Amino acid sequence: MATTKKYIALVVDDDSANRAINLKYLTRNGFEIEVAKNGQEAVEYFQMGYKFDLVLMDMEMPIMDGFQATMEIRALGVKSLIIGMSSTASQVKIQEFVSAGLDEFYHKPMNMAKLIAIIRRLEN
């Protein structure tokens, strides 16, 4: 389901295996990608003026977690689609993450069904 529009995504995850999975799905579907290994790097991209259509945000990372990074990115006025991803089963943590400013939350790992849902949101 390659999209015709060129989307730019920021993948924020400290785990190289998860980054690789996300990169595989996104690049195969025509996304241009930047990578941040923690929330602080993600915030810095936006502070430097980068624009992204999509941010895939991990919940638990060193230096700055996904909760704090999402709140700081939203505080900058960023309207990008921010999708939180985590392997946690804690509904309380997931709800806190969503409340930080996510548009949607998905359990890891990325798969085609999740990516198709994300692309549909971007296209609307």
Side-chain angles (χ1 to χ4, degrees):
M1 175 183 178
T3 178
T4 52
K5 184 184 183 315
K6 200 68 159 163
Y7 291 112
I8 303 169
L10 176 62
V11 174
V12 188
D13 201 312
D14 62 315
D15 183 277
S16 60
N18 286 319
R19 283 195 310 270
I21 291 167
N22 289 333
L23 292 173
K24 177 182 84 168
Y25 280 103
L26 292 169
T27 54
R28 282 186 183 169
N29 287 277
F31 283 75
E32 291 179 26
I33 302 161
E34 294 290 339
V35 172
K37 295 178 182 164
N38 60 63
Q40 182 62 47
E41 289 180 9
V43 170
E44 288 169 359
Y45 269 111
F46 287 101
Q47 289 171 333
M48 291 186 292
Y50 282 76
K51 305 265 189 259
F52 298 98
D53 301 298
L54 169 66
V55 179
L56 290 182
M57 180 72 70
D58 185 23
M59 182 190 304
E60 297 169 337
M61 297 175 285
I63 303 172
M64 183 186 290
D65 64 21
F67 300 97
Q68 187 66 35
T70 300
M71 287 189 291
E72 290 196 24
I73 289 167
R74 290 299 190 210
L76 294 170
V78 172
K79 304 288 187 222
S80 302
L81 181 66
I82 302 179
I83 304 292
M85 297 194 78
S86 178
S87 53
T88 186
S90 167
Q91 289 304 310
V92 172
K93 281 190 164 192
I94 291 168
Q95 189 51 52
E96 288 174 7
F97 197 15
V98 170
S99 297
L102 297 182
D103 292 293
E104 190 74 55
F105 174 86
Y106 292 117
H107 287 279
K108 289 181 179 180
M110 175 62 76
N111 61 34
M112 263 324 281
K114 293 170 189 169
L115 183 59
I116 289 168
I118 290 168
I119 291 172
R120 286 196 177 121
R121 281 195 75 153
L122 288 168
E123 291 175 342
N124 290 332

